[in-house]
């Protein structure tokens, strides 16, 4: 069986479980379950702390893991990203009291508090900045107020918590993170079971990104219509009973669907419909 590590809690847990469910995999019914077997799909899921997943995967005990890019890099584990998943996106930034710092150069000689010591230490070293790094397990916003550090480095989503603490971000982002699928470095990514798992998740990503669009149009307007809905390879075009009309079907980006429908209508297309895609293989 393919042995897969899944986040057991936090912002990664729910979306990861939803994606796996959409991909056709059985998921746990109770949060207390730490391991379940999906015999139909020949997969065994282990529910672990997101921060530990890269370690387990790098050891070879588990074949694949879903975790955050930030957690993977921070762990320094011998594992690598093989598929970005598009959820749990965040940006890692430096922050300080207003006027305390405005660029990386201002970090020289200062102390930076963070829960991601590996990421910050590497970023500082790569930038040639000599600064101390203090590791804290969460709530790093209070480090400046309590005098533990002059600067913090943390995940920033909306920035509300930093503003509430009287802090502001500065400099370029340290990194951008999202949920990713990881595999041990050197392991065979082309292994059939691994490829099947990746295809299923890629199918979910495509299904979430695209919708199927159907419409009727006059033959003389077909080239203009196809230019608006080129599909992935090309659209399906079928003749209708009424001479001079064709039915067209193509996948279009979901976020552009309404605009495309307007443009099709303007060139004379009618009976324009969109339907959700629940699964696909490309």
């Amino acid at each position: 069986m393919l042995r897969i590590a899944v986040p057991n809690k936090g912002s990664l847990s729910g979306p990861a479980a939803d994606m796996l469910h959409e991909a056709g995999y059985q998921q746990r019914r109770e949060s207390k379950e730490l391991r379940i077997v999906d015999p139909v799909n020949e997969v065994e899921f282990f529910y672990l702390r997101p921060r530990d997943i890269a370690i387990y995967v790098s050891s070879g005990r588990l074949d694949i893991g879903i975790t955050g890019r930030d957690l993977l890099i921070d762990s320094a584990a011998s594992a690598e990203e093989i598929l970005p998943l598009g959820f749990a996106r965040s940006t890692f930034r430096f922050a300080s009291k207003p006027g305390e710092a405005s660029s990386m150069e201002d970090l020289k000689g200062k102390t930076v508090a963070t829960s991601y010591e590996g990421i910050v230490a590497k970023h500082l070293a790569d930038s040639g900045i000599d600064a101390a790094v203090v590791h804290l397990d969460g709530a790093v916003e209070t480090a400046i107020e309590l005098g533990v550090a002059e600067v913090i480095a943390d995940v920033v989503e909306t920035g509300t918590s930093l503003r509430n603490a009287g802090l502001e971000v500065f400099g370029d982002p340290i990194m951008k993170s999202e949920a990713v699928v990881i595999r041990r470095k050197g392991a065979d990514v082309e292994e059939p079971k691994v490829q099947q798992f990746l295809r299923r998740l890629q199918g979910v990503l495509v299904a979430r990104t695209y919708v199927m669009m159907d419409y009727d149009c006059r033959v003389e307007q077909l080239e203009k219509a196809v230019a608006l809905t080129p599909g992935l390879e090309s659209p399906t075009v079928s003749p209708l009973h009424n001479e001079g009309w064709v039915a067209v079907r193509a996948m279009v980006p979901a976020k552009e669907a309404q605009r495309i429908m307007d443009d099709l209508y303007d060139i004379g297309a009618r009976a324009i419909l969109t339907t959700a895609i629940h699964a696909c293989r490309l």
Side-chain angles (χ1 to χ4, degrees):
M1 284 193 171
L2 196 66
R3 294 157 64 89
I4 302 174
V6 183
N8 66 343
K9 60 182 179 179
S11 61
L12 290 165
S13 178
D18 290 342
M19 177 168 278
L20 291 169
H21 177 72
E22 290 178 46
Y25 293 105
Q26 179 183 335
Q27 288 297 286
R28 62 180 180 174
R29 297 181 179 179
E30 297 182 4
S31 60
K32 293 181 180 180
E33 292 182 276
L34 300 179
R35 169 184 170 273
I36 67 165
V37 176
D38 182 349
V40 174
N41 294 298
E42 298 183 329
V43 172
E44 189 173 8
F45 291 104
F46 294 83
Y47 295 86
L48 306 170
R49 292 178 68 245
R51 188 172 283 276
D52 297 336
I53 286 176
I55 304 298
Y56 281 104
V57 172
S58 69
S59 73
R61 302 293 182 181
L62 299 179
D63 300 303
I64 284 175
I66 295 177
T67 188
R69 182 181 293 128
D70 52 353
L71 298 175
L72 167 64
I73 295 174
D74 193 60
S75 71
S78 184
E80 60 186 352
E81 174 184 333
I82 58 175
L83 179 67
L85 296 178
F87 64 85
R89 287 190 171 104
S90 61
T91 304
F92 205 65
R93 304 289 300 264
F94 288 113
S96 67
K97 288 185 176 180
E100 181 70 28
S102 60
S103 68
M104 286 288 295
E105 288 296 316
D106 296 329
L107 294 177
K108 290 181 177 179
K110 288 185 167 56
T111 300
V112 182
T114 183
S115 299
Y116 298 82
E117 184 178 1
I119 292 175
V120 175
K122 182 178 184 303
H123 185 71
L124 291 171
D126 291 345
S127 302
I129 302 298
D130 183 14
V133 180
V134 174
H135 177 81
L136 297 176
D137 285 323
V140 296
E141 295 93 342
T142 60
I144 295 177
E145 181 181 353
L146 296 177
V148 174
E150 295 91 3
V151 178
I152 67 168
D154 201 10
V155 172
V156 179
E157 293 182 359
T158 63
T160 301
S161 59
L162 291 178
R163 287 191 293 272
N164 290 341
L167 306 178
E168 62 180 17
V169 299
F170 66 88
D172 295 328
I174 301 169
M175 68 169 295
K176 291 187 177 182
S177 182
E178 65 182 292
V180 296
V181 179
I182 64 172
R183 178 95 159 126
R184 180 173 57 85
K185 287 182 179 178
D188 183 10
V189 180
E190 300 301 321
E191 183 181 335
K193 288 184 178 180
V194 174
Q195 282 298 304
Q196 182 187 66
F197 179 77
L198 294 177
R199 279 196 301 271
R200 286 198 181 192
L201 294 190
Q202 287 168 332
V204 172
L205 291 172
V206 172
R208 289 178 172 183
T209 305
Y210 289 85
V211 294
M212 188 65 72
M213 185 170 289
D214 293 89
Y215 58 90
D216 301 338
C217 77
R218 296 285 304 177
V219 171
E220 56 265 28
Q221 297 298 328
L222 180 58
E223 290 306 314
K224 290 182 179 179
V226 168
L228 293 170
T229 59
L232 298 186
E233 280 82 26
S234 65
T236 300
V237 180
S238 306
L240 292 178
H241 179 70
N242 289 342
E243 188 175 348
W245 284 82
V246 292
V248 184
R249 162 170 279 202
M251 291 172 62
V252 302
K255 64 182 181 181
E256 299 178 20
Q258 292 294 336
R259 177 189 58 78
I260 293 172
M261 292 174 78
D262 290 337
D263 292 343
L264 286 171
Y265 192 89
D266 288 342
I267 64 170
R270 295 295 182 266
I272 309 168
L273 308 173
T274 61
T275 52
I277 301 170
H278 297 290
C280 70
R281 297 290 185 276
L282 299 181

